[in-house]
């Protein structure tokens, strides 16, 4: 009997163990996809180790551990997380989300895990504002679409202030620092965290009671997840773990952070001219609003704000920026520039602001290249003068490939996709950005550790500019702003969400037609102004070339030979960089482009004039002179009227050539139609469609001009 009871007990024990094992396995297998914001400190943000932390993240992870489920965290941003839950791509979201009646129609919320509120903050040295009554006549800032913005709008008439709205905390807090707004309103924990981490502000008054934050799932779905969250939250509060997590971020700052004060450096110029690349995403590129953004741009702008100096950017391309710095047309340069011993001989560098690396990329679907040894007999591309090019040259004999060089990234990527080269090498963040923007590339080989990027000035010049950048860089790293800027571009590959699909021709046109039209206008303006000036100069030298005075003929011949003998790109570089440096006055890029096109076209127009005059039979000049008419009178009344009829088709043809030649002027940074295309390609990586659109625009304009020329020619005849 005892043995029977023992058998039943043993069976029951086995069943219990099996049941517990199944439950445990089932719990381990349950993974929920949870969306969160990208940067909403102290609730979610990336720390110095690029790990997502914050009240929301730590609380979620603690609850998951307590309730035995796994979390697949998706830092997509607030709006994208909402859409992800609504479309069933996410199981839930936690992102400092206020529980409102409106949102309850779409979402089911957990028990509130944080009671928020809004509060006023002013600059740390501002003692004049101690209450809402002191805001009369002042401008007060808040973030767009927030509870703070609604509060300010509701109380605007009562307290007599103006409201200025900002897209993010960086702009809002920066406005307080530089005095654009007298006070800022934001969620009090966000303000408290910013102040604890070095933001030079102070809180004023008591927080206004705000909405509570909740964990959300789609209405009617994932109720088991909601129950687990509520149960875990209750356990966290009972054990004291909840208070520990909240106090980690709101009442204390990171003990390991550098708390040293930033040293303010006195600028020595009213405005510092900063040269940069024009298309080197994600470091500098134009976004969909045609504004230059990127890691370099944001870091430099923020450094200027922190140190209180003014900057003027010139996005001229990497080579152009180097020459501008050498020719004293720029005070500094930031363009993803690697610090090397060779460059240190000519430039002074800041502290490194980015540690780069280089990597091989091949076309998606190419399975034949998985190591450097597989490059034997293949062609590998790189951009001229880059770290990638240096690496490829150093290892060319070792791995047996041949190298092909390109001037820009879009050419490099197009060559890979078009099969002109088997592989390419470029900086890893640039490749990563290109892939995130739709480039069909893969990186089968681990990246090589690369050099460090630095902000540069000409050796021995503008030392205060380097010092100001270094101090601001340290401050940005101390407060976490540096990580926010880097992660903004490297992590999601884009500074802004795409408004339309730019992978199609219609999408590209609809999103970029304004900037394309502006580029076309600049092209036409360049061509019209330069051609009008070239006509005047060309006709004068053309007349000189057939003048009876030998000195004039020799002078005209020398002018034509010199101008026609110098390639136009070289002429553009000389005028923009060399001549500016020689005369000590900076020639604007557009003016330099006009001068270049004018000189080039005038030489050819002079030859057209000379040919047209010589095409008129010489006997007419002799007959006229024999009748007693002067040389000048004969040219006016007899020779030129006939010559002009001969010249007109050539003049129109020369104008068309000048219009096409404007593309060359893009080398000195003039944003004409081709340069506009390059800028769009840098952001979208859609080189085929973009250049097709530009080719069609040129075709339409030039065909219209040709037809006009034929009509004009008929009328003259």
């Amino acid at each position: 009997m005892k043995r029977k009871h023992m058998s039943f007990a043993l069976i029951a024990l086995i069943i219990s163990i099996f049941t517990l094992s199944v439950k445990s396995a089932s719990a381990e297998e349950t993974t929920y996809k949870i969306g969160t914001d990208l940067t909403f400190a102290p609730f979610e943000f990336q720390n110095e180790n690029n790990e997502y932390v914050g009240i929301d993240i730590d609380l979620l992870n603690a609850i998951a551990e307590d309730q035995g489920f796994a979390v697949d965290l998706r830092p997509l941003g607030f709006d994208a997380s909402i859409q992800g839950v609504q479309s069933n791509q996410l199981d839930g979201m936690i992102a400092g989300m206020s529980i409102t009646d409106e949102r309850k129609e779409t979402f089911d919320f957990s028990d509130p895990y944080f009671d928020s509120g809004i509060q006023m903050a002013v600059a740390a040295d501002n003692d004049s504002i101690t209450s809402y009554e002191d805001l009369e006549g002042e401008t007060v800032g808040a973030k767009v679409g927030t509870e703070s913005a609604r509060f300010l709008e509701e109380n605007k008439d009562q307290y007599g202030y103006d409201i200025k709205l900002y897209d993010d905390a960086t702009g809002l807090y920066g406005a307080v620092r530089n005095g654009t707004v007298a006070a800022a309103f934001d969620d009090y924990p966000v303000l408290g965290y910013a102040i604890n981490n070095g933001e030079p502000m102070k809180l004023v008054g008591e927080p206004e009671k705000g909405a509570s934050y909740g964990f959300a799932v789609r209405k009617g779905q994932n109720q088991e997840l909601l129950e687990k969250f509520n149960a875990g939250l209750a356990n966290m509060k009972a054990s004291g773990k909840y208070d520990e997590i909240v106090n980690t971020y709101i009442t204390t700052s990171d003990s390991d952070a550098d708390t040293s004060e930033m040293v303010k450096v006195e600028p020595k110029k009213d405005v510092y001219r900063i040269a940069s690349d024009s298309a080197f995403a994600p470091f500098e590129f134009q976004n969909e609003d045609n504004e230059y953004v990127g890691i370099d741009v944001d870091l430099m702008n923020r450094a200027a704000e922190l140190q209180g100096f003014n900057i003027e950017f010139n996005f001229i391309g990497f080579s152009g920026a180097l020459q501008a710095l050498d020719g004293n047309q720029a005070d500094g340069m930031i363009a993803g520039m690697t610090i090397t011993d060779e460059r240190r001989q000519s430039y002074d560098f800041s502290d490194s602001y980015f540690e780069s690396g280089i990597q091989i990329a091949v076309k998606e679907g190419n399975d034949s290249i998985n190591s450097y040894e597989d490059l034997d007999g293949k062609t590998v591309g790189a951009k001229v003068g880059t770290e990638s090019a240096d690496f490829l040259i150093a290892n060319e004999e070792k791995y047996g490939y041949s190298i092909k060089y390109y001037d820009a990234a879009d050419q490099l990527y197009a060559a890979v996709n078009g099969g002109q080269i088997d592989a390419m090498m470029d900086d890893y963040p640039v490749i990563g950005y290109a892939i995130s923007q739709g480039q069909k590339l893969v990186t089968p080989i681990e990246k090589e550790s690369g050099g460090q990027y630095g902000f540069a000035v000409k050796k021995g010049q503008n030392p205060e500019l380097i010092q100001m950048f270094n101090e601001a860089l340290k401050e940005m790293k101390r407060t976490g702003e540096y990580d926010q800027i880097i992660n903004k571009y490297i992590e999601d590959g884009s500074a802004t969400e795409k408004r339309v699909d730019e992978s199609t021709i219609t999408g590209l046109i609809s999103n970029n037609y304004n900037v394309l039209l502006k580029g076309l206008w600049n092209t036409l303006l360049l061509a019209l102004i330069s051609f009008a000036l070239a006509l005047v100069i060309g006709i004068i030298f053309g007349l000189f070339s057939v003048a009876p005075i030998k000195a004039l003929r020799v002078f005209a011949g020398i002018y034509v030979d010199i101008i026609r003998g110098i390639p136009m790109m070289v002429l553009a570089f000389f005028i923009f960089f060399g001549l500016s440096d020689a005369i000590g006055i900076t020639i604007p890029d557009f003016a330099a482009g006009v001068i270049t096109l004018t000189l080039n076209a005038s030489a050819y127009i002079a030859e057209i004039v000379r040919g047209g005059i010589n095409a008129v039979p010489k006997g007419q000049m002799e007959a006229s002179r024999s009748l007693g008419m002067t040389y000048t009178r004969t040219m006016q009344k007899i020779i030129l009227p006939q010559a002009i009829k001969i010249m007109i088709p050539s003049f129109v043809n020369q104008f068309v050539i000048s219009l096409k030649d404007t593309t060359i002027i893009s080398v000195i940074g003039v944003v004409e139609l081709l340069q506009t295309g390059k800028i769009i390609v840098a952001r979208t990586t859609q080189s085929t469609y973009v250049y097709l659109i530009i080719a069609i625009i040129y075709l339409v304009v030039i065909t219209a001009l040709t037809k006009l020329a034929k009509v004009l020619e008929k009328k003259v005849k």
Side-chain angles (χ1 to χ4, degrees):
M1 193 71 178
K2 284 183 179 179
R3 192 174 291 175
K4 190 174 182 181
H5 283 306
M6 288 177 66
S7 298
F8 278 120
L10 183 61
I11 291 170
L13 180 62
I14 292 170
I15 291 172
S16 298
I17 292 171
F18 177 76
T19 302
L20 288 171
S21 299
V22 169
K23 286 182 178 179
S24 177
S26 175
E28 287 177 359
E29 291 171 358
T30 304
T31 300
Y32 295 102
K33 292 177 286 187
I34 308 298
T36 188
D37 209 342
L38 286 167
T39 52
F40 185 51
F43 291 93
E44 48 266 325
F45 61 100
Q46 279 192 330
N47 63 14
E48 61 271 18
N49 298 320
N50 298 321
E51 299 167 339
Y52 267 94
V53 294
I55 295 173
D56 287 352
I57 308 303
D58 291 7
L59 187 60
L60 178 64
N61 287 334
I63 291 173
E65 184 178 355
D66 180 77
Q67 293 293 305
F69 63 87
V71 172
D72 179 7
L73 191 67
R74 305 289 180 88
L76 302 174
F78 189 88
D79 292 338
S81 293
I82 286 178
Q83 293 170 23
V85 173
Q86 290 175 332
S87 62
N88 291 321
Q89 293 177 336
L90 298 172
D91 300 305
M93 71 174 284
I94 186 167
M97 186 176 183
S98 299
I99 302 172
T100 64
D101 292 336
E102 183 181 13
R103 285 173 177 162
K104 283 182 178 179
E105 296 176 5
T106 310
F107 300 95
D108 287 329
F109 284 93
S110 68
D111 296 334
Y113 66 84
F114 190 89
D115 292 324
S116 183
I118 57 175
Q119 195 165 7
M120 177 168 62
V122 297
D125 58 355
N126 186 341
D127 297 322
S128 61
I129 296 177
T130 58
S131 66
Y132 295 158
E133 284 76 17
D134 296 330
L135 295 175
E136 185 174 0
E138 302 286 356
T139 300
V140 184
K143 290 181 290 188
V144 177
T146 60
E147 197 172 8
S148 298
R150 288 193 294 272
F151 175 84
L152 290 177
E153 192 63 40
E154 290 169 2
N155 294 278
K156 180 180 178 181
D157 293 336
Q158 181 179 349
Y159 296 112
Y161 49 71
D162 293 320
I163 305 172
K164 194 172 180 65
L165 300 178
Y166 295 85
D167 291 329
D168 54 29
T170 301
L172 177 61
Y173 300 163
V176 175
R177 282 193 305 274
N178 62 31
T180 303
V181 297
F185 275 72
D186 204 355
D187 291 13
Y188 83 83
V190 178
L191 285 171
Y193 179 82
I195 292 170
N196 280 339
N197 282 273
E199 191 65 38
M201 297 190 301
K202 61 183 180 183
L203 297 174
V204 176
E206 293 296 322
E208 297 286 338
K209 182 174 173 52
S212 298
Y213 293 169
F215 174 79
V217 298
R218 187 175 179 182
K219 197 167 188 65
Q221 297 186 14
N222 293 308
Q223 294 303 303
E224 79 286 355
L225 175 58
L226 212 55
E227 291 170 5
K228 290 176 182 179
F229 187 92
N230 285 336
L233 178 62
N235 291 343
M236 293 300 104
K237 289 184 175 180
S239 66
K241 180 71 174 176
Y242 173 86
D243 291 332
E244 180 183 336
I245 289 172
V246 172
N247 292 336
T248 298
Y249 296 97
I250 292 185
T251 61
T252 63
S253 59
D254 188 349
S255 60
D256 295 326
D258 178 11
T259 58
S260 59
E261 290 290 328
M262 178 183 68
V263 177
K264 290 291 293 264
V265 181
E266 187 69 28
K268 295 183 179 179
K269 293 185 177 181
D270 292 334
V271 178
Y272 288 93
R273 295 167 297 176
I274 308 298
S276 186
D277 206 339
S278 58
F280 185 49
F283 291 92
E284 45 265 334
F285 64 100
Q286 276 192 333
N287 63 14
E288 293 173 328
D289 298 318
N290 306 316
E291 299 170 337
Y292 272 100
V293 293
I295 294 171
D296 289 347
V297 181
D298 288 8
L299 285 177
M300 196 70 224
N301 281 327
R302 186 65 181 128
E305 287 179 8
L306 287 171
Q307 282 289 314
F309 63 95
N310 299 313
I311 59 173
E312 181 182 292
F313 266 111
N314 188 12
F315 298 96
I316 198 175
F318 188 85
S319 297
L322 279 175
Q323 294 179 55
L325 199 57
D326 290 334
N328 295 318
Q329 288 185 303
D331 301 303
M333 170 182 175
I334 187 166
M337 186 178 184
T338 306
I339 302 170
T340 64
D341 291 335
E342 183 180 8
R343 285 175 176 160
R344 284 185 188 276
Q345 296 176 13
S346 303
Y347 310 104
D348 290 327
F349 285 95
S350 69
D351 297 337
S352 170
Y353 67 82
F354 189 84
E355 187 172 343
S356 184
I358 53 178
Q359 195 166 21
I360 289 285
V362 299
K363 188 176 181 180
E364 192 176 81
N366 184 345
D367 300 324
S368 62
I369 298 175
N370 296 294
S371 66
Y372 288 115
E373 286 74 15
D374 296 333
L375 295 174
D376 188 20
K378 302 286 199 301
T379 302
V380 185
K383 290 182 290 187
V384 177
T386 60
E387 194 175 7
S388 299
D390 294 340
F391 177 88
L392 291 176
I393 292 169
N395 293 278
E396 186 174 9
E397 292 185 7
K398 180 179 178 181
Y399 296 116
Y401 50 73
S402 58
I403 308 171
K404 193 165 185 179
Y405 298 103
Y406 296 88
D407 290 326
D410 59 285
Q411 300 169 359
L412 189 61
Y413 298 146
V416 177
N417 290 319
Q420 288 89 352
I421 56 177
D422 302 290
M424 57 161 278
M425 196 170 212
D426 204 357
D427 291 22
Y428 84 87
V430 180
I431 293 176
Y433 176 82
I435 292 172
S436 75
Q437 294 296 298
Q439 279 289 344
K440 303 300 182 183
L441 299 172
V442 293
T443 52
I445 305 173
E446 286 295 316
K447 71 180 178 76
E448 300 288 331
S449 59
Q452 297 181 323
Y453 291 170
F455 170 62
V457 299
K458 193 173 182 180
K459 199 164 187 68
Q461 296 185 14
N462 299 304
E464 78 284 356
L465 186 53
I466 289 289
Q467 190 179 357
M468 287 189 291
F469 183 86
N470 285 341
E471 287 294 331
L473 181 61
K474 290 175 187 174
E475 179 71 3
M476 284 185 270
K477 288 184 176 180
R478 185 183 72 81
T479 60
E481 282 188 86
Y482 171 84
D483 292 325
Q484 291 177 15
I485 290 172
I486 297 296
N487 294 332
K488 180 180 178 182
Y489 297 99
I490 297 293
E491 182 186 343
D492 63 10
S494 174
T496 56
E497 291 182 7
K498 290 187 175 183
R499 292 178 299 210
V500 297
D501 179 11
E502 291 189 308
S503 63
T504 64
I505 290 182
T506 53
L508 282 167
I509 292 174
S510 66
N511 205 41
N512 298 286
Y513 72 92
N514 281 329
V515 71
L516 286 169
L517 289 175
K518 186 177 179 181
L520 176 61
W521 169 249
N522 285 340
T523 292
L524 292 172
L525 203 61
L526 269 173
L528 288 168
I529 294 174
S530 62
F531 189 75
L533 295 172
L535 269 177
V536 175
I537 297 171
I539 289 172
I540 291 171
F541 278 98
L543 293 173
F544 281 179
S545 64
V546 294
I549 303 171
K550 184 178 180 180
L552 292 177
R553 295 198 303 272
V554 171
F555 178 54
I558 292 172
Y559 173 81
V560 170
D561 289 342
I562 290 174
I563 299 301
R564 292 202 306 180
I566 301 174
M568 192 160 67
M569 188 179 294
V570 176
L571 187 61
F573 277 132
F574 171 74
I575 292 170
F576 186 57
F577 298 112
L579 188 59
S580 292
D581 189 35
I583 64 178
I585 299 174
T586 299
I587 301 175
D589 51 10
F590 189 87
V594 169
I595 295 170
T596 302
L597 289 167
T598 298
L599 292 175
N600 185 74
S602 67
Y604 290 95
I605 289 173
E607 287 297 279
I608 292 171
V609 171
R610 185 182 65 83
I613 291 172
N614 287 337
V616 178
K618 291 183 179 179
Q620 295 192 28
M621 172 65 77
E622 294 171 356
S624 176
R625 296 301 299 277
S626 66
L627 292 174
M629 293 182 69
T630 63
Y631 174 83
T632 302
R633 192 72 173 166
T634 302
M635 291 294 292
Q636 288 177 343
K637 295 296 184 181
I638 298 174
I639 306 299
L640 287 178
Q642 299 177 69
I644 287 171
K645 292 182 181 180
I646 299 170
M647 296 176 206
I648 282 177
S650 297
F651 282 157
V652 176
N653 186 56
Q654 184 58 46
F655 177 70
V656 170
I657 292 172
S658 293
L659 187 66
K660 290 196 231 180
D661 283 346
T662 56
T663 58
I664 298 175
I665 303 304
S666 65
V667 298
I668 59 173
V670 177
V671 185
E672 42 65 71
L673 187 56
L674 178 61
Q675 184 73 349
T676 299
K678 290 179 180 178
I679 290 168
I680 295 172
V681 168
R683 187 186 76 249
T684 65
T685 72
Q686 299 294 328
S687 57
T688 302
Y689 289 155
V690 171
Y691 292 133
L692 175 61
I693 292 168
I694 288 172
I696 292 171
I697 292 173
Y698 272 114
L699 180 63
V700 170
V701 172
I702 290 172
T703 301
L705 286 171
T706 304
K707 297 292 184 184
L708 178 64
K710 288 181 179 179
V711 171
L712 186 62
E713 188 178 348
K714 286 179 181 178
K715 285 187 176 182
V716 171
K717 286 182 178 180

